[in-house]
Structure formats: structure tokens, C-alpha cells
Amino acid sequence: MKYISNSDHYKEVLSRVQSVKHMLWIGTADIKDLYVEVGNEKKPFLALIAQLIRRGVEVRLIHAKEPGANFREDFDRYPVLYDCLERVLCPRVHFKILVFDGKEAYIGSANLTGAGIGMKAETTRNFEAGILTDAPQIVEQTMNQFDDVWMGKHCKSCKRRDYCADPIK
């Protein structure tokens, strides 16, 4: 288990996304047009997600609200995302979770934004904290929490259903 703070989020967490082989689950309250380094290039995070999907990686994304225009513009540049990115909108999601191949999990405070987990400069970055772990019990519990939301376990009793653009059940 490793404690992650501030700029280490980018180095320790997002760098793992590129090496995922089978599945990547992402849960975040907020997602914006985040950029990442891929080799010597800076690319939209969505370009990396599209690349993973083309390689056959299952990518699931749960987020709380519709992203802004810049994100949608980047999204539109990668048609594979329309067909193959599994996505659920849940206004109650506030967790920040990434699960890598079911073997490692990040649990923390950083949203998928430049200031949260991305490439912002130290002086414009949020103060974040999280844990990156490969402890099987914690990874399993993280996956169970994600899956409960993904499968709509809480939808019927949700007090925000009137605000939900995408009720599962």
C-alpha cells in the first residue's frame, strides 16, 4: 500500500492506466478534458482510453455529472468511445476510484481533472491525497462498491432520482 499526495497522483496513478491489460474501472465525481503524457506526447486522457479500448481493454466510467464542452469535444474525436466505452452517470457518486486489472486500486480525493490528478503545474494543482494498493481485500471491496453503483443497487431507494439523467433501474 502506498500513500499518494499532490503531484504523485499523476506519476503513480495515471501512469498505470497505460499498462492496463484487461480492465480499467474509473469512478469520479468530476471529469474534464484531462491531458496525459504518452511517450513524448501530451494527449487527451480520452485518446488513451480510446487506445485501450481498441486493444480490447474493458473500460467502465461512472461520473456524477455531464462534463463540459472541452471534454465533449475531445470525446467526439474518438468514435470508438461511442460504441465501446461503458459509462454510467450517477449524481450521487462522489468517490474517486480507479481499478487496474482487478489487481490494484486507487482510492482518494482526486477527480479526473487537470488540477486533481492531471498535468497541471504544482502551483495550480489541488491538494489531494489517496492510497494506491494491491491488497486483495481492499481491491475487492473497492470493486464491490463500484459494482454496486454500476449495477444500480441503490437506484430504487435513491433520493436524487429526480435529478438522475440515467437511472439504471
Side-chain angles (χ1 to χ4, degrees):
M1 188 172 325
K2 186 172 191 172
Y3 178 78
I4 310 282
S5 65
N6 297 332
S7 65
D8 288 341
H9 277 85
Y10 182 77
K11 292 186 299 197
E12 297 289 337
V13 179
L14 281 189
S15 65
R16 281 172 167 68
V17 171
Q18 297 178 50
S19 61
V20 169
K21 303 283 186 242
H22 307 289
M23 56 84 77
L24 173 66
W25 289 0
I26 304 166
T28 185
D30 195 10
I31 186 166
K32 293 186 178 172
D33 61 326
L34 171 69
Y35 277 71
V36 295
E37 289 180 4
V38 179
N40 294 330
E41 296 180 73
K42 292 180 174 122
K43 293 185 174 186
F45 183 68
L46 289 173
L48 178 56
I49 297 300
Q51 181 182 6
L52 291 174
I53 290 170
R54 285 191 291 270
R55 286 193 342 230
V57 173
E58 169 201 296
V59 180
R60 289 183 174 179
L61 170 64
I62 300 174
H63 56 102
K65 62 183 180 176
E66 282 296 341
N70 291 338
F71 178 94
R72 289 192 307 270
E73 187 177 306
D74 280 344
F75 189 93
D76 290 346
R77 293 184 357 199
Y78 306 100
V80 71
L81 298 177
Y82 293 125
D83 299 326
C84 301
L85 175 63
E86 299 180 64
R87 192 169 73 106
V88 168
L89 207 59
C90 175
R92 300 284 306 263
V93 165
H94 199 261
F95 56 57
K96 287 75 174 183
I97 293 172
L98 284 98
V99 178
F100 309 97
D101 288 325
K103 296 178 183 173
E104 277 187 303
Y106 164 78
I107 307 146
S109 64
N111 281 305
L112 248 62
T113 65
I117 201 168
M119 293 182 63
K120 289 274 186 171
E122 284 297 320
T123 56
T124 56
R125 168 179 303 287
N126 295 339
F127 302 118
E128 305 285 3
I131 294 172
L132 182 64
T133 184
D134 61 358
Q137 184 178 9
I138 296 173
V139 173
E140 180 181 3
Q141 290 172 346
T142 304
M143 290 177 70
N144 288 342
Q145 181 182 16
F146 185 101
D147 206 38
D148 283 350
V149 174
W150 184 262
M151 298 301 292
K153 179 180 178 181
H154 309 288
C155 287
K156 286 183 181 174
S157 61
C158 179
K159 303 293 185 200
R160 307 267 314 153
R161 192 169 178 86
D162 292 344
Y163 304 96
C164 186
D166 191 22
I168 298 166
K169 290 184 179 183

